Amino acid sequence: MAPAQQDRTAWLLLTPMISIMVLVTAFPLLNTLWLAFTDASLTGQGYVWQWIGLENFAYILDDSDFRAAVGRTTYFTVLSVSAEVVLGVLVALLLNQEFKGRTLVRALLILPWALPTIVNAVMWRLIYNPEYGSLNALLTQIGLLDAYRSWLGDPATAMNMVILADIWKNYPLIALIALAALQTVPKDLYEAAIMDGANAWTRFWKITLPGIIGSLSVAMVLRAIEAFKVFDIFYVMTRGGPADSTKTVSFFVYQESFTYLRAGSGAAYALTVTAMSGLMISIYVVMLVRREKRS
Amino acid sequence: MNRFFKGAACGLALLIHQSFPAFAEDVTLNAIFMKQAAYSEDDTKAMAKTFEAANPGLKVNLEFVPYEALHDKIVAAQGAGSSGYDVVLFDVIWPPEFATKGFLQDVTARVPKTDRDKVFDGAWTTVDYDGKIWGMPWILDTKYLFYNQDMLKQAGISAPPKTFEELAEQAKIIKDKGIVKFPIVWSWSQAEALICDYTSMVGGAKGSFTQDGKLSFDTGGSVEAVNYMKKTLDDGVTNPNSREYLEEDVRKVFSAGEAAFAMNWTYMFNMANDPKESKVAGKIGIVPAPGFKGKAEASAINGSMGLGISAGSKHPDEAWKFITFMTSQETQNKYAKLSLPIWKSSYDDPAVTKGQEKLIDAAKVSLGVMFARPMTPSYPELSSILQKNIQQVLLGQASTDDAMTAATKAAGRLR
Amino acid sequence: MRRSLTATILVYVAVALFVASILAPVAWLFIMSISDANDLTTIPLRWIPEQPDFSRYARLFSLEEGSAGLTFLSALRNSVIVAVSATAIALAAGIPAAYSFSRYPGRMPLLYAVIVTYMMPPVVLILPLYKVFSALGLLNNVTSLIIVYCTILLPFVTWLMKSGFDSVPVEIEQAASIDGANLFQILTRITLPVAAASTGAAALFALLLAWDEFFYALLYTSDTRAKTLPVAIADFAAGRATDYGLISAVGLLAALPPVLIGFFLQKSLLSGLSAGSVKG
């Protein structure tokens, strides 16, 4: 095909997607962009607003509560995503071994993933319940814990316990992707490596990991985006408490716009969050591209 | 072509409809309510059915949402114009915000002057703001002190506490005798529930949330309340898990016989007495929440809710008719089992009091001393500030003075 | 490769641990769903209920007016309609777009722009879209949810499918092209069948994402005509009379459809993913 014609075909194929995205998101996005530079607040007659330029963003730079929320969200994202990747790969390696009932065991991976987030959150809240939860009961009955604990009421543990609930639900997805990628790694590579006397550790780093890193990184980026805007699980499990120790950026933006009705600064916070998430992802993508070029 | 005609016909019909309202026989009201135990979904639906039967041509579309979603849904609907809600249920803490933002219609002129005296003053504060009335009170609620009669008897305590100091003392006795590990349970999770307990105590200490016209939380009753909360935790008489509990958790712990005392709303009285839900049914005592020694005999939080007409409603007259029906003494008396009427005279009506005399006795005292949370259009944000700072004290992260000074400072910066 | 006995034992121990870690929380959910409210608040905890009580499941399948069953079953219906339609539309629009990104490079910034919309906190879109849907009379209507979910699903369906197409060799298309097949024929008859498995994977991802969405659904729907499962579950959990057993039962039943689809699709999913569908 001639370049011009190719170009036309390319755009033609993109048309349905672009039209849907533009039709639905263009107005809200422009609306948000405009709001971010105003002091708009929501009233019964619509927005009451005044143009205030960069004032919202200046306020954000100076907002220590928001900085704390960013710190918490980053902690949540880094810890849960990296644990999910490590666990996911380990489980994938395990389920790639030969053993009886493998198909059935593999199918189990779908279970946590299919449980709606809302249910997952309620389920873990009940498990962590300080008085009647099964976690306290289990840990004391097997002797790991002396007395019942308040898992979600203690700022020292609340965030980590939510992370644990998130990992349980989401690592099977990574495991599934890693498991699938493992099928593409040619078997003869391993045989050759064994002949050369490479041990299991070397084989993993030299053959297995390079074989699955491509698939893993897409999954990781998707999970990281999702984790950074995490909302539902905190909405159900802690609502930001205790003493703000689990208040994440999405919760922050939600409160600003919906609870305090400050549409203007809410929009500014939202844009800031998006920019941060974008920055984080692009740094990662750049690192990935560099790595690929090197190898 | 066909579609164009259809569209044109629709437009025309709409035009006719709007310019000749006389032809519009049926009016459908959209109303938003909340899911709860008192005035349950079934009860509310039954009330609406009765209303519809009595008012041919009027239909009511009911929507039920969890309390947590009520504020957000009302807010989201504000941009929606005529397809929004006509009647909204609002919490006592929202009228300042809703009134200043123009979410609600001023109904001062609609409320009969004669009703002013027949309804509890505390109920009126639910819908009053800025000298105007923004709706009718519907759910009249406050927190009571519940106690387990058996446990008190076992500890040799003859009468339930009259002051917060006594409460702590009695709890200590019960704890020392090994009757129950943590005698008192509260809902002190980072949520509005915490502010309700705190406000009740501030009221019981005859404190105030303002000083020289400014919001202030770092002196007097406010500090006394927070210090008391912290002390009961330190002394081990308050269940430490209270710091992650909401009202439902309190009910579960109390109903399981794991606590001697609990602060909770009206609804717990009949549920804790239900053997299917509770292991302590029949042993429930209820008294007004106490006050602080030498300051007050009893304390109470105004936790009521009202029904108002949304600013965008095209049918305010019909909406008011519905609200009047829902809040009428007749309707309220009929469903008084879990939620007590706003009408004073109902409390002497045997049909209302039967089977819940203990609750009514407590209510007569509590409803008279209901204390309101700070009245400000930025209440939601103020509440977040208080929740965070009080929790920091309860968790031992900050001293009462530091935290409450910080809260006062933050409140002064409210935009 | 042959394993030593120790290695085999280790594998079985590890598998057992894995199975236990996945099943234990779900099993607890099931136990709660058949336990009496009083049993669950006994200390020390009674792990197995004295008298299993399946009445909650019965309640969820009753069709009486105003019953929990009616709420649950209509939410199930709405969820299926919304998830399936949104997935279908996202695939229909995402596949050609992914193909374009894969075969005619040079428009990658556009793909990134689409992914950025995925990074926005949902609060950004919720209020403006509420107004739009209200003006169109689409509130409390599954259509509005389908439209919104499309924009959530499209970015990553496109991304996943692009990497899927990247792994299909261009040569097989060229052969068909010489035989005179047009683009549509090539895409539907050659490329897609080769990438069928990755399509299945993308579809399952999309389906679960739509199945799971809560916040938009909470604000845009108001009764059984449009409420989806997550909202219905949140409703069951609300009100000051929380029946943990009922929530557990609803939760388990809500997970059932995707689990069944997942089991069903598992083979194609694995091979689909392994066909390189999610390579970066």
Side-chain angles (χ1 to χ4, degrees):
Chain A
M1 277 191 282
Q5 198 194 341
Q6 273 201 8
D7 207 46
R8 230 180 54 209
T9 318
W11 283 113
L12 193 70
L13 289 168
L14 288 173
T15 312
M17 181 203 59
I18 295 177
S19 352
I20 293 181
M21 292 307 285
V22 169
L23 263 178
V24 183
T25 59
F27 166 66
L29 288 185
L30 290 175
N31 194 48
T32 302
L33 206 61
W34 162 72
L35 282 173
F37 296 95
T38 70
D39 67 348
S41 75
L42 188 63
T43 75
Q45 289 73 45
Y47 291 123
V48 172
W49 62 280
Q50 230 169 11
W51 191 262
I52 55 166
L54 289 171
E55 217 171 279
N56 284 329
F57 293 96
Y59 188 88
I60 292 174
L61 280 180
D62 201 34
D63 185 348
S64 58
D65 283 348
F66 183 66
R67 270 202 301 277
V70 171
R72 269 176 233 126
T73 315
T74 312
Y75 177 80
F76 174 86
T77 307
V78 170
L79 209 63
S80 62
V81 174
S82 48
E84 279 158 29
V85 169
V86 172
L87 254 177
V89 171
L90 285 179
V91 165
L93 289 173
L94 176 68
L95 298 190
N96 203 32
Q97 305 289 320
E98 299 276 342
F99 57 87
K100 286 211 179 71
R102 191 170 73 168
T103 321
L104 211 63
V105 171
R106 279 181 175 180
L108 276 184
L109 283 176
I110 296 169
L111 199 56
W113 190 30
L115 215 58
T117 305
I118 294 288
V119 178
N120 186 50
V122 172
M123 175 178 90
W124 283 97
R125 226 182 79 184
L126 297 178
I127 291 175
Y128 294 153
N129 186 297
E131 233 115 351
Y132 316 116
S134 48
L135 183 66
N136 272 331
L138 184 75
L139 290 183
T140 44
Q141 282 177 21
I142 59 175
L144 278 177
L145 200 69
D146 296 336
Y148 276 24
R149 290 194 55 167
S150 167
W151 300 102
L152 294 175
D154 182 350
T157 50
M159 178 58 101
N160 291 334
M161 295 321 273
V162 178
I163 290 178
L164 193 68
D166 188 72
I167 293 172
W168 183 84
K169 171 160 163 66
N170 287 311
Y171 91 84
L173 164 67
I174 308 260
L176 207 65
I177 287 169
L179 183 59
L182 282 176
Q183 317 303 312
T184 61
V185 184
K187 289 241 167 22
D188 42 349
L189 280 182
Y190 287 107
E191 276 152 29
I194 291 174
M195 298 267 261
D196 290 347
N199 62 18
W201 185 251
T202 323
R203 290 202 300 270
F204 173 76
W205 286 105
K206 296 278 177 200
I207 304 173
T208 315
L209 197 63
I212 62 173
I213 191 81
S215 318
L216 269 185
S217 48
V218 173
M220 251 179 89
V221 171
L222 282 175
R223 276 300 306 141
I225 296 178
E226 292 248 295
F228 200 73
K229 58 174 193 180
V230 61
F231 182 79
D232 298 3
I233 195 168
F234 286 105
Y235 185 83
V236 175
M237 286 185 76
T238 63
R239 293 192 73 91
D244 272 2
S245 62
T246 60
K247 196 164 160 190
T248 62
V249 285
S250 274
F251 213 89
F252 203 93
V253 176
Y254 160 81
Q255 264 193 337
E256 193 71 17
S257 328
F258 261 98
T259 314
Y260 311 156
L261 306 182
R262 284 197 292 263
S265 68
Y269 279 111
L271 289 182
T272 313
V273 170
T274 313
M276 281 175 176
S277 161
L279 193 71
M280 202 173 68
I281 304 300
S282 31
I283 291 174
Y284 179 74
V285 169
V286 167
M287 264 164 47
L288 215 66
V289 170
R290 275 219 190 123
R291 205 193 124 94
E292 259 169 38
K293 271 189 191 145
R294 247 188 295 138
S295 55
Chain B
M1 211 45 179
N2 206 348
R3 195 183 292 166
F4 171 78
F5 274 119
K6 255 194 203 153
C10 277
L12 205 67
L14 208 71
L15 219 89
I16 294 171
H17 184 86
Q18 278 180 347
S19 40
F20 303 99
F23 286 122
E25 292 173 352
D26 285 8
V27 169
T28 302
L29 294 171
N30 289 315
I32 183 164
F33 283 88
M34 92 180 177
K35 288 201 179 263
Q36 54 158 0
Y39 291 153
S40 68
E41 195 170 332
D42 289 341
D43 290 349
T44 313
K45 277 181 181 158
M47 293 179 201
K49 272 230 173 76
T50 318
F51 172 75
E52 283 174 349
N55 294 278
L58 277 181
K59 268 185 59 71
V60 189
N61 230 337
L62 298 170
E63 176 178 349
F64 295 88
V65 299
Y67 173 79
E68 290 78 21
L70 188 59
H71 180 270
D72 298 352
K73 290 212 75 153
I74 294 174
V75 167
Q78 287 311 313
S82 58
S83 59
Y85 303 110
D86 297 290
V87 174
V88 296
L89 174 67
F90 57 81
D91 198 358
V92 55
I93 46 185
W94 301 337
E97 178 190 22
F98 284 5
T100 35
K101 300 267 183 197
F103 290 179
L104 288 174
Q105 296 189 11
D106 176 359
V107 297
T108 316
R110 296 181 189 270
V111 179
K113 288 262 168 345
T114 48
D115 281 359
R116 288 296 301 201
D117 293 334
K118 295 186 193 154
V119 172
F120 283 100
D121 286 344
W124 284 120
T125 56
T126 310
V127 294
D128 269 350
Y129 178 69
D130 209 16
K132 299 189 182 94
I133 303 177
W134 301 93
M136 268 304 272
W138 186 48
I139 301 170
L140 184 59
D141 209 352
T142 187
K143 280 190 160 181
Y144 300 93
L145 182 69
F146 293 80
Y147 61 96
N148 186 315
Q149 291 168 328
D150 277 14
M151 288 183 186
L152 261 63
K153 209 178 286 166
Q154 223 178 315
I157 299 164
S158 52
K162 282 241 161 35
T163 63
F164 278 112
E165 288 85 354
E166 262 179 58
L167 172 63
E169 283 158 23
Q170 294 190 359
K172 190 87 177 61
I173 298 173
I174 292 171
K175 185 185 173 76
D176 290 345
K177 292 206 170 161
I179 296 169
V180 65
K181 197 167 172 206
F182 298 113
I184 323 176
V185 61
W186 322 74
S187 46
W188 291 349
S189 137
Q190 181 165 354
E192 197 53 42
L194 165 65
I195 306 303
C196 290
D197 285 3
Y198 158 76
T199 304
S200 199
M201 290 182 194
V202 175
K206 284 279 173 270
S208 161
F209 293 127
T210 49
Q211 215 166 26
D212 310 326
K214 274 194 198 129
L215 290 167
S216 156
F217 308 96
D218 52 359
T219 51
S222 170
V223 170
E224 193 170 352
V226 179
N227 275 336
Y228 178 81
M229 295 164 97
K230 175 72 171 127
K231 182 150 189 318
T232 61
L233 276 166
D234 291 344
D235 293 348
V237 292
T238 282
N239 188 329
N241 299 329
S242 297
R243 290 171 297 194
E244 70 166 277
Y245 280 164
L246 291 168
E247 291 90 340
E248 264 301 271
D249 304 300
V250 169
R251 176 174 76 84
K252 293 231 150 94
V253 171
F254 185 74
S255 300
E258 299 289 329
F261 299 102
M263 271 271 258
N264 213 339
W265 305 100
T266 316
Y267 85 102
M268 187 164 98
F269 184 69
N270 282 314
M271 292 198 79
N273 266 324
D274 175 0
K276 262 170 71 189
E277 287 279 343
S278 163
K279 292 177 191 155
V280 295
K283 304 169 188 167
I284 313 298
I286 181 172
V287 284
F292 282 95
K293 208 180 196 162
K295 303 233 168 84
E297 295 276 288
S299 70
I301 161 80
N302 186 358
S304 309
M305 297 184 83
L307 290 172
I309 309 173
S310 168
S313 171
K314 295 275 185 297
H315 309 289
D317 295 336
E318 290 84 352
W320 185 251
K321 212 171 188 178
F322 179 59
I323 293 174
T324 311
F325 173 82
M326 294 297 277
T327 56
S328 71
Q329 189 159 16
E330 191 188 342
T331 309
Q332 292 215 313
N333 284 358
K334 210 168 132 193
Y335 295 90
K337 201 73 199 161
L338 289 167
S339 189
L340 296 174
I342 57 171
W343 306 90
K344 291 178 188 165
S345 61
S346 296
Y347 291 69
D348 298 317
D349 180 347
V352 171
T353 56
K354 193 165 171 274
Q356 46 186 7
E357 291 81 2
K358 280 196 280 185
L359 171 64
I360 299 286
D361 286 344
K364 278 181 178 165
V365 178
S366 291
L367 297 179
V369 296
M370 284 206 298
F371 194 64
R373 283 162 276 180
M375 289 271 187
T376 157
S378 343
Y379 181 76
E381 193 170 10
L382 177 63
S383 175
S384 302
I385 293 170
L386 288 173
Q387 289 169 30
K388 179 186 155 186
N389 285 295
I390 296 175
Q391 272 225 322
Q392 281 183 339
V393 177
L394 301 183
L395 291 161
Q397 294 178 332
S399 73
T400 308
D401 287 336
D402 289 353
M404 296 324 278
T405 310
T408 307
K409 222 180 241 166
R413 275 202 308 267
L414 282 180
R415 288 185 280 174
Chain C
M1 270 190 288
R2 293 208 54 80
R3 272 192 317 234
S4 67
L5 183 65
T6 349
T8 309
I9 293 174
L10 272 179
V11 165
Y12 276 94
V13 169
V15 168
L17 271 178
F18 163 74
V19 171
S21 75
I22 294 287
L23 282 185
V26 182
W28 177 237
L29 204 60
F30 178 70
I31 290 176
M32 284 194 290
S33 75
I34 57 166
S35 293
D36 189 65
N38 280 334
D39 270 352
L40 290 175
T41 52
T42 304
I43 300 177
L45 189 66
R46 188 176 293 140
W47 291 98
I48 307 295
E50 224 162 40
Q51 269 185 330
D53 168 15
F54 289 90
S55 65
R56 298 190 183 96
Y57 290 94
R59 270 170 68 195
L60 288 175
F61 285 104
S62 108
L63 276 173
E64 273 168 60
E65 172 89 24
S67 65
L70 200 67
T71 315
F72 168 70
L73 291 172
S74 50
L76 184 67
R77 179 201 60 206
N78 296 332
S79 269
V80 169
I81 294 175
V82 169
V84 170
S85 323
T87 305
I89 298 173
L91 285 177
I95 287 174
Y99 187 79
S100 170
F101 283 126
S102 170
R103 291 299 185 254
Y104 309 99
R107 269 160 280 261
M108 283 310 274
L110 192 66
L111 181 59
Y112 295 135
V114 172
I115 291 170
V116 164
T117 63
Y118 186 60
M119 294 178 188
M120 294 227 146
V123 180
V124 172
L125 303 179
I126 269 185
L127 272 184
L129 282 179
Y130 189 102
K131 271 192 206 166
V132 173
F133 288 135
S134 147
L136 296 174
L138 284 179
L139 283 178
N140 195 26
N141 189 321
V142 285
T143 316
S144 57
L145 290 185
I146 295 172
I147 294 172
V148 179
Y149 291 179
C150 275
T151 65
I152 303 176
L153 305 185
L154 258 176
F156 84 89
V157 163
T158 309
W159 199 12
L160 283 179
M161 291 301 297
K162 178 201 172 284
S163 16
F165 289 143
D166 281 350
S167 66
V168 178
V170 189
E171 290 76 23
I172 58 168
E173 292 181 9
Q174 278 165 348
S177 165
I178 292 166
D179 290 345
N182 64 26
L183 188 69
F184 181 74
Q185 287 166 328
I186 293 176
L187 183 59
T188 52
R189 294 197 193 146
I190 297 180
T191 321
L192 263 186
V194 175
S198 27
T199 317
L204 186 61
F205 281 114
L207 212 60
L208 280 166
L209 208 64
W211 192 257
D212 208 25
E213 205 287 326
F214 170 62
F215 201 38
Y216 285 101
L218 175 71
L219 284 181
Y220 291 177
T221 65
S222 44
D223 60 29
T224 47
R225 277 171 290 178
K227 271 187 186 173
T228 57
L229 274 174
V231 183
I233 292 167
D235 280 358
F236 284 124
R240 286 184 184 153
T242 321
D243 180 351
Y244 292 147
L246 189 66
I247 301 168
S248 310
V250 182
L252 277 175
L253 289 178
L256 216 52
V259 167
L260 288 180
I261 295 174
F263 282 170
F264 194 62
L265 278 183
Q266 194 214 2
K267 269 239 166 67
S268 89
L269 187 65
L270 270 188
S271 55
L273 292 163
S274 62
S277 62
V278 277
K279 263 194 192 152

